[in-house]
Amino acid sequence: MRSNLIISVATTGSITTRENHPDLPLHPKEIAQAVYECYQAGAAVAHVHVRDDAGKPSMAMDKFAETVGLIREKCPIIINMTSSGGRGLVLTDEDRIDPIVALKPEMCSMDCGSVNFGDRIFENHPFFLEKLATRAREAGVKPEIECFDVSMIENGKRMFAQGLLDGPLHFQFVMGVRGGIPATIENLLFMRSKLPADATWSVIGVGKGHLPLMVAAMMEGGHVRVGFEDNVFYKKGVLAKTNAQFVERAVRLAEEFDRSVASVEEARQMLSLPSR
Ligand code: ZN
């Protein structure tokens, strides 16, 4: 029997701008409202980034605290906070980790290696990953192992073997970033073939890879992430109206592919998170 489908939503990210989408949620209230609409549409996990008052990427504690607080007031969705930093920010490891430790979301992203990302280097030093894994565990936060290429799956497995991560592991494949693995179904199946048997996995097809990889993941027993962080186009040349519109499409497709959509509590069980 196929497991239920966990839909994650990433409403904002650190790269998408208002030029890319005029209604990109930027301020804490806008992000919380977008997350709430996605929760109502069927999303079980919210991957959260924040911006400063000018709309630029930020890892500011106060912005995270306000955003996470507003989401928690509105709905019980699983919060997955980013640890990724942002373009142009000069950050210490602590700047990337401390908001997670302070706010104790149920999950955080852990980009399990460094990669050329468009025109920048997305750096995730082995020492940073070790520190993030250790402090997330102390805070009771489950890392989502984000993989921009196959090597990052191996890094995650190695950290598990070293005792730095607790199983079962949860992987998020990020496919289609310039510099990372291209967003093809062939690559998706190869990535999946490298996972531990008990792992859960989800896929992000960035940009035009969004739809084919979402459908392939649904058919192959994986989970999906949607939202303006990864893609703003509903179809070629047509902007999505809202983040929730992507969730609604995922729900409709899931029904067609005989995957029930996981509630928040079902997602907690599937991700081995403590129930609330
Ligand atoms: Zn992110």
Side-chain angles (χ1 to χ4, degrees):
M1 201 186 82
R2 285 174 171 170
S3 67
N4 289 359
L5 178 77
I6 301 170
I7 301 174
S8 296
V9 68
T11 62
T12 302
S14 67
I15 293 175
T16 312
T17 64
R18 284 262 165 96
E19 265 112 70
N20 301 130
H21 197 296
D23 295 325
L24 177 73
L26 294 177
H27 301 292
K29 282 192 179 114
E30 294 168 347
I31 295 170
Q33 179 61 27
V35 166
Y36 179 59
E37 290 166 11
C38 291
Y39 162 76
Q40 287 182 309
V45 180
H47 173 67
V48 177
H49 287 250
V50 295
R51 302 293 180 96
D52 66 15
D53 290 332
K56 296 270 186 305
S58 170
M59 289 297 286
M61 182 78 82
D62 61 335
K63 293 293 184 198
F64 274 116
E66 186 179 355
T67 306
V68 167
L70 289 169
I71 295 170
R72 284 175 173 157
E73 276 173 23
K74 285 177 182 290
C75 62
I77 198 166
I78 295 165
I79 295 177
N80 170 338
M81 276 171 61
T82 188
S83 66
S84 71
R87 181 190 294 266
L89 296 177
V90 179
L91 299 168
T92 64
D93 291 351
E94 284 66 34
D95 293 333
R96 295 171 62 178
I97 298 171
D98 285 352
I100 292 163
V101 172
L103 296 169
K104 296 182 174 47
E106 290 172 83
M107 302 182 82
C108 67
S109 61
M110 187 177 82
D111 301 285
C112 222
S114 300
V115 64
N116 285 357
F117 190 123
D119 58 4
R120 69 172 176 132
I121 297 171
F122 183 23
E123 191 180 317
N124 295 286
H125 194 286
F127 296 160
F128 165 73
L129 295 176
E130 194 173 321
K131 210 185 290 184
L132 173 60
T134 302
R135 295 193 63 206
R137 174 190 271 161
E138 285 165 7
V141 180
K142 177 166 180 162
E144 174 179 76
I145 303 169
E146 284 198 329
C147 301
F148 289 72
D149 215 326
V150 184
S151 56
M152 299 195 191
I153 299 174
E154 299 304 319
N155 288 341
K157 284 156 66 176
R158 193 178 309 114
M159 289 178 72
F160 174 73
Q162 289 168 337
L164 290 163
L165 294 171
D166 301 316
L169 301 175
H170 178 64
F171 291 83
Q172 182 74 264
F173 302 155
V174 189
M175 303 179 66
V177 165
R178 184 156 53 89
I181 195 165
T184 67
I185 292 173
E186 185 184 21
N187 286 341
L188 174 67
L189 297 178
F190 181 62
M191 297 272 276
R192 189 195 57 171
S193 75
K194 301 298 169 190
L195 296 178
D198 65 347
T200 48
W201 62 279
S202 175
V203 70
I204 300 162
V206 175
K208 67 183 189 323
H210 172 67
L211 198 52
L213 292 197
M214 175 163 69
V215 170
M218 283 182 187
M219 297 183 74
E220 292 295 329
H223 306 285
V224 301
R225 188 173 101 178
V226 302
F228 290 177
E229 173 167 352
D230 310 320
N231 173 43
V232 295
F233 290 102
Y234 193 75
K235 55 175 97 169
K236 193 170 173 17
V238 180
L239 287 178
K241 291 192 187 77
T242 59
N243 277 283
Q245 194 187 15
F246 282 125
V247 178
E248 289 160 7
R249 176 164 66 179
V251 169
R252 283 199 306 277
L253 286 171
E255 280 164 7
E256 291 299 321
F257 290 111
D258 199 21
R259 296 281 304 273
S260 301
V261 174
S263 68
V264 170
E265 197 50 46
E266 286 165 348
R268 282 197 181 102
Q269 286 170 18
M270 295 164 70
L271 295 166
S272 307
L273 301 170
S275 73
R276 294 201 163 180

